[in-house]
Amino acid sequence: MKVGFYGHVRQYHNLKEEIDAAIFEVLESGNYIMGPTLARFEKELAAYCHMKHAIGCNSGTDALWLAFMALGIGPGDEVITVANTFFATAEAVWIAGARPVFVDIEPHTCNMDPTLIEPAITDRTRAIVPVHLYGQMANMPAIADIAQRHNLLVVEDCAQAIGAAGDTFAIGELSDAACLSFIAHKNLGTPGDGGAVVTNRDDIVDRILALRNHGSLKRSYHSMGYNSRLDDLHAGLLSVKLKRIDQWNDRRRQIAAMYSEGLQDTGLQLPYEKPGYRHVYHLYVIEIEQRDEMLKYLNQAGIDAKTHYPIAIHQQEGYPWGQPADLNVSLPLTERSAARVISLPMFPELTPEEIDYVIHTVRTWEG
Ligand SMILES: *Cc1c(COP(=O)(O)O)cnc(C)c1O
């Protein structure tokens, strides 16, 4: 049996009529860039997130960068974040001209450890950028509290976490801006790239709108910006999918529960769901000492398991400024996790047979 890692083609087949209709509607309308379809999706997205504003852009990476720029985060500033994330989290900080300062993680959620933030604050610190890794929110109340006491900005990397929440808060509500990604394999994905910033801060909306469109809010008038728009074609397709996101996230949670039930006595480290948090399982990640052997075994059994992320950002060789002091940062829990993680197939369209096969295969491993 073969079990793939991504379900987006199955998802397309399941929604083919509606998706095709949405695409043809945009094609026939002639409005391809910043048209009414984008405006409608932005409204729907803001409503879904219970936020005042949603601004579409070209990718999750751009969403982060646009938020940083709009908030005035730039050269000379330090941004406290984590290193066990997709490279783009730190990359966006560098693109804005600031410097990421990495702190270590909690051992079970693998999210930013809030107790390590204050020791990392210097007089250059401007912002904290938590990542809601694998679809579970970081401890936002603690992070927001520290930010408030030290007068710091908070930008949430929600690329993996649309629909995630805590018992008294959700993405975007305890920060200055929250950034989403719609790249194909994310929980809400389009065939291509896309992203959005959601925020309750009225004062940064025009800046983000201008920055994503060559510094222009009015035709022919420009200041310095960039070209980072969400195409109407993608927006139309995302509108079709946004209606299903809660149902899909529920299915991801169900599959995760089946995996966790099936693997509970194996000695593997399974995902930890924090009480009171709604984990939306962008990824189902287990940890094991013999990671490389297990990965090979699963792949040979036809299961497309992957690793997120085997090389933490501070371990990357292409470290942009190359100063030894920055390379020397030690993040023991981040490094331990990077050496042990395996992501099992996780998407709403997985069949019961595929789920059983994954559980059975992992269980019969003789390491
Ligand atoms: C996917 C992802 C991004 C980048 O999003 P793109 O749309 O691919 O640019 C940033 N951060 C995290 C945590 C991600 O998973």
Side-chain angles (χ1 to χ4, degrees), residues 59-61 64 85-86 88-89 131 157 159-160 181 183 186 193-194 309:
S59 68
T61 310
L64 288 163
T85 171
F86 183 59
T89 310
V131 177
D157 183 337
Q160 306 186 355
S181 164
I183 192 172
K186 293 289 160 71
D193 279 304
Y309 297 88

Side-chain angles (χ1 to χ4, degrees), residues 181-320:
S181 164
F182 307 128
I183 192 172
H185 58 270
K186 293 289 160 71
N187 289 30
L188 179 65
T190 192
D193 279 304
V197 181
V198 296
T199 180
N200 280 332
R201 277 190 58 167
D202 300 328
D203 61 317
I204 61 171
V205 173
D206 277 356
R207 276 183 245 168
I208 298 174
L209 288 172
L211 282 166
R212 76 164 178 189
N213 186 37
H214 308 287
S216 179
L217 288 172
K218 191 174 155 196
R219 192 175 172 78
S220 305
Y221 292 81
H222 297 268
S223 62
M224 187 55 199
Y226 199 70
N227 176 354
S228 179
R229 299 167 302 219
L230 180 66
D231 303 339
D232 280 53
L233 269 179
H234 290 300
L237 211 145
L238 286 164
S239 278
V240 172
K241 293 191 173 190
L242 182 62
K243 286 185 269 181
R244 272 104 180 171
I245 188 66
D246 283 342
Q247 172 195 326
W248 286 334
N249 282 342
D250 285 344
R251 177 66 183 151
R252 286 173 182 271
R253 289 176 50 76
Q254 230 173 40
I255 296 168
M258 288 186 236
Y259 277 159
S260 292
E261 161 97 31
L263 300 175
Q264 60 176 331
D265 54 349
T266 52
L268 296 162
Q269 184 180 320
L270 304 178
Y272 173 69
E273 259 186 56
K274 216 165 155 167
Y277 282 64
R278 175 177 159 84
H279 194 322
V280 294
Y281 287 100
H282 172 59
L283 294 166
Y284 185 94
V285 177
I286 59 175
E287 292 196 22
I288 178 173
E289 195 70 43
Q290 307 95 317
R291 188 265 311 280
D292 293 340
E293 291 85 348
M294 171 66 111
L295 189 64
K296 201 166 146 202
Y297 162 79
L298 290 174
N299 290 342
Q300 277 169 354
I303 295 171
D304 189 9
K306 296 189 186 298
T307 49
H308 299 84
Y309 297 88
I311 307 170
I313 296 178
H314 69 296
Q315 298 173 311
Q316 296 286 350
E317 284 181 11
Y319 216 61

Side-chain angles (χ1 to χ4, degrees), residues 69-102:
M69 294 287 285
L71 289 163
I73 297 166
D77 293 337
E78 291 178 357
V79 173
I80 295 174
T81 188
V82 286
N84 66 329
T85 171
F86 183 59
F87 190 72
T89 310
E91 190 181 28
V93 176
W94 285 313
I95 296 172
R99 249 195 69 191
V101 172
F102 301 111

Side-chain angles (χ1 to χ4, degrees), residues 313-317 319 321-330:
I313 296 178
H314 69 296
Q315 298 173 311
Q316 296 286 350
E317 284 181 11
Y319 216 61
W321 58 85
Q323 289 162 5
D326 293 321
L327 278 170
N328 282 343
V329 55
S330 162

